[in-house]
Amino acid sequence: IPDRAHQIQGDVGTSWVSEGPGEVAYLRNLSVGARYRHHWGRYGVGAVWGVSAWRSKDLAGDDDGIVAGLLGAELSVLSADGRIRSDVSGGLARLLEGTEIDQPGPIGFFADVRPVTYRITLNDRWRMAFTPASLALVVPEPSGIPLVDVQFRGVVAVEWQP
């Protein structure tokens, strides 16, 4: 089934980590987002909105919960008759929930690379999408001592084509 020109997508991405062999894995980061995409044949551009949250150890060894709001743009390319999509996005990141050192408010940046997303057609308007490995760089506080998080994560999405 061919793609329609407009697509709206909701997605959830996460990664789980463990402190070592035999240790319990825990949720390292979580991203929730929405994308609007317009395609011309194989190529598309779009807008990205989302929230990225992660856990990080502070200097005392305690867990800090950090949340950044994301707003940006996306470029995408379809291949394999629309069953595979590759995309890259980037834009502004704003610290919403910080640490003792990094307070909410600053504006930084983010970049997200999803080299291979597998798309499964459910019907003429709906698709499921799975990105087994993506890379996100989120820098909501670029000044002073930068607050940087590198996220390797899997992403599951639902696409709707009006």
Side-chain angles (χ1 to χ4, degrees):
I1 297 173
D3 280 282
R4 296 171 187 252
H6 304 278
Q7 297 174 356
I8 297 171
Q9 172 181 310
D11 59 44
V12 176
T14 186
S15 62
W16 294 78
V17 295
S18 166
E19 296 294 329
E23 295 291 322
V24 176
Y26 65 90
L27 182 67
R28 166 67 179 84
N29 61 57
L30 177 68
S31 67
V32 178
R35 294 169 184 248
Y36 167 79
R37 190 178 296 117
H38 183 84
H39 275 275
W40 293 273
R42 293 182 52 210
Y43 303 99
V45 296
V48 178
W49 303 268
V51 174
S52 180
W54 67 92
R55 293 170 32 165
S56 181
K57 300 274 186 197
D58 63 15
L59 295 175
D62 299 324
D63 276 337
D64 278 337
I66 301 163
V67 180
L70 312 174
L71 176 63
E74 171 193 78
L75 299 173
S76 64
V77 177
L78 296 173
S79 58
D81 291 328
R83 291 187 302 270
I84 295 176
R85 183 182 61 244
S86 301
D87 55 62
V88 61
S89 59
L92 302 175
R94 182 174 190 273
L95 190 59
L96 302 175
E97 178 71 32
T99 66
E100 291 179 22
I101 298 171
D102 299 303
Q103 297 300 313
I107 302 285
F109 64 91
F110 80 95
D112 186 4
V113 178
R114 300 179 184 185
V116 177
T117 297
Y118 300 99
R119 302 169 71 220
I120 300 166
T121 300
L122 302 176
N123 61 37
D124 66 334
R125 294 190 184 270
W126 292 93
R127 285 192 167 89
M128 288 290 300
F130 175 66
T131 308
S134 70
L135 170 64
L137 174 68
V138 183
V139 186
E141 170 56 277
S143 62
I145 300 172
L147 180 58
V148 177
D149 196 46
V150 178
Q151 303 171 359
F152 297 97
R153 59 188 181 205
V155 179
V156 175
V158 175
E159 299 176 5
W160 178 63
Q161 302 179 65

